[in-house]
Amino acid sequence: MCGISGEIQPKTGHAPNVAAVQAMCDVLSRRGPDGHGVVAQGRVALGHRRLKIIDLSEAAQQPMVDSELGLSIVFNGCIYNHKELRAELEGKGYRFFSTGDTEVLIKAYHAWGPRFVERMNGMFAFCIVERESGRAVLGRDRLGIKPLYWAEVPGEGGGKAFRFASSLPALVAGGGVDQSVDPVALYHYMSFHAVVPAPRTILKGVKKMPPGTLMTVEPDGTRTETKFWEVTYGPQPGDERKSFADWQEEVISVLRTSVRRRLVSDVPVGVLLSGGLDSSLITGLLAEEGQSNIKTFSIGFETVGEERGDEFQYSDIVAKHFGTDHRKLFVDSSRALPELVNCVRAQSEPMVSHDNIGFYLLSQEVAKHVKVVQSGQGADEVFGGYHWYPPLLDVSGADAAVDAYSKVFFDRGIDEMRQVLSPAMFDGTDHARAFVAERFKMPGAERAVDQALRLDTTVMLVDDPVKRVDNMTMAWGLEARVPFLDHEVVELAARVPAEMKVAEDGKYVLKEAARKVIPSEVIDRPKGYFPVPALKYLRGPFLELVRDLVTSEKARSRGLFQENYVNRLLAEPEAHITPLRGSKLWQVALLEFWFQEHGI
């Protein structure tokens, strides 16, 4: 697991800005604390930060240059089927000098071209450069587990140089990036539950590659993007004959394979165990694989009012049942408050979810014991665990489907947004609703419930839970693997009839399949979430921090929000809660917090 960066100059004879690439690498150091390297050739410079989870020879260090094939690569991620690909390539006559997956990627590209990504099972972001043609090909995995940002900056001899990095702040550190706020992205952030869909980011000058996408950058700077993966919802031929029991067996089988794949490592693999169905099932499947004394980790916060801040009672059940080496981390507000600054600094983009500080502090503790963990992110989106799915089962008509989804998911509708954003930041368009309507109309999902599941899996999941876990774990040099986001799991789940997924408060087929593996107490429990009450009900020093942020001169000078709206939030900080149980005041404050901590 690593951080990558690079620059491609637009004209022959102009060397890349190696200092800028190094500056980007420096920002990425926590993603890869165990090694680094920068290689410059012709118009291109590539940078890499490494997290050591597999012992590699010098031949596998990055950036990797294969002089024989005329290719260079930087790669972030893990390819779980790299041994199978290696054997196939050896059968084609390719020689290998290392045991890692980076060399497999570079030779697979030479053998099969850019569509080699379709053969890979894993999480990845990469850039491969062809020496002879000068062409660069960048790619991001199917579910966007690994991040990839890019920007155009002034070139050395005129034109635009192309830069890329594993985080947005790294690109900013390289210099030359337009740091003005994108009004459409701001609308998404304030309405679409803080999700800014790719390719936009909160800054006009920085874009992010959509999941399942390849980008080709030609020597003249021309860029083309190609989707190499889409998931289709609904039955395939023969599925209509399958019983509920058949679907259960297929679900547990594909998950067993996914968990097994993610054991590839030369270091122990732990589990982030919340005590919910998803992480508990992962723990149980690891135990089935013969993993003994599994290291599991849970976190809890102090209760605020009636809102409990931990779920230890459930994680304890699982830890005892499987005899795991279990550690519980309890965090009171006196510890959470000072760590908020570091948590925000670890965010590639502004992420408002209260869970961020929880995952940040949990990762800090976990990294003392293991370098790799498996985590349960994605199960709710993939297997239909959220409360807004069942009402969509019987919805027909495009407008009705979008209305039903927007009502429960959006933090604010357009009427409230007119009171929120300053005139300079609001053009009168409901960009969030327009985006959802466009995605719902795409082919490959006919029913409203499937359209919502697809949107949440390919957009919301990528830019909220998955990004959150990646950012917070990598802040401590910890690699998180997500078995529910194996693309084969996602493809199978998309075929399961929606009624079998969303029944019984959601994830019905997954729950029933899980009964063969884990205790029923953690299956039949009330649905929980990762609670951090102190950031939902802002009081005391948390409220003072927020007040200082939103009333600061820097915040006022940005001119993003109407002053009357901010004052209303400050007057009743606990009264303004989004439909998905978040603090509207914290959402405004977190954005300013992020800007200030990243020098924007």
Side-chain angles (χ1 to χ4, degrees), residues 109-250:
Y109 177 87
H110 185 266
W112 298 305
R115 305 293 292 203
F116 81 99
V117 291
E118 296 172 352
R119 299 170 177 260
M120 296 195 298
N121 184 295
M123 52 184 181
F124 52 83
F126 64 82
C127 176
I128 295 175
V129 180
E130 301 175 358
R131 181 182 60 206
E132 299 303 323
S133 71
R135 180 181 298 114
V137 176
L138 299 93
R140 190 179 183 195
D141 66 71
R142 297 169 179 84
L143 277 304
I145 303 167
K146 290 294 103 183
L148 189 58
Y149 297 84
W150 61 271
E152 288 184 328
V153 299
E156 294 296 322
K160 296 288 187 180
F162 179 88
R163 287 185 187 158
F164 65 90
S166 294
S167 79
L168 187 157
L171 282 168
V172 172
V177 172
D178 180 358
Q179 298 182 29
S180 56
V181 173
D182 179 343
V184 176
L186 179 63
Y187 191 101
H188 282 303
Y189 174 84
M190 295 297 293
S191 179
F192 193 32
H193 198 50
V195 172
V196 178
R200 294 183 187 274
T201 74
I202 198 67
L203 301 186
K204 285 183 179 179
V206 179
K207 307 298 182 185
K208 58 193 172 197
M209 186 176 294
T213 300
L214 291 171
M215 176 188 286
T216 301
V217 183
E218 299 292 350
D220 63 0
T222 302
R223 296 190 312 274
T224 57
E225 288 190 13
T226 305
K227 289 288 289 185
F228 68 84
W229 183 79
E230 297 276 7
V231 58
T232 299
Y233 282 74
Q236 294 184 5
D239 285 348
E240 69 278 359
R241 296 190 295 271
K242 293 179 181 176
S243 67
F244 185 51
D246 293 333
W247 284 117
Q248 289 179 55
E249 185 56 41
E250 290 199 31

Side-chain angles (χ1 to χ4, degrees), residues 302 304 333-334 336-338 340 532-552 565-577 583-590 592-593:
E302 62 187 343
V304 174
S333 59
S334 64
L337 183 62
L340 273 175
V532 187
L535 294 182
K536 178 178 177 180
Y537 302 109
L538 296 164
R539 302 174 181 177
F542 287 90
L543 180 58
E544 292 307 308
L545 168 67
V546 164
R547 189 183 304 278
D548 289 345
L549 285 166
V550 300
T551 60
S552 67
Y565 179 76
V566 175
N567 289 338
R568 286 204 303 273
L569 297 183
L570 288 171
E572 294 183 289
E574 297 183 30
H576 300 273
I577 303 297
S583 165
K584 293 184 178 182
L585 178 56
W586 175 246
Q587 189 175 26
V588 172
L590 184 278
E592 181 60 31
F593 205 174

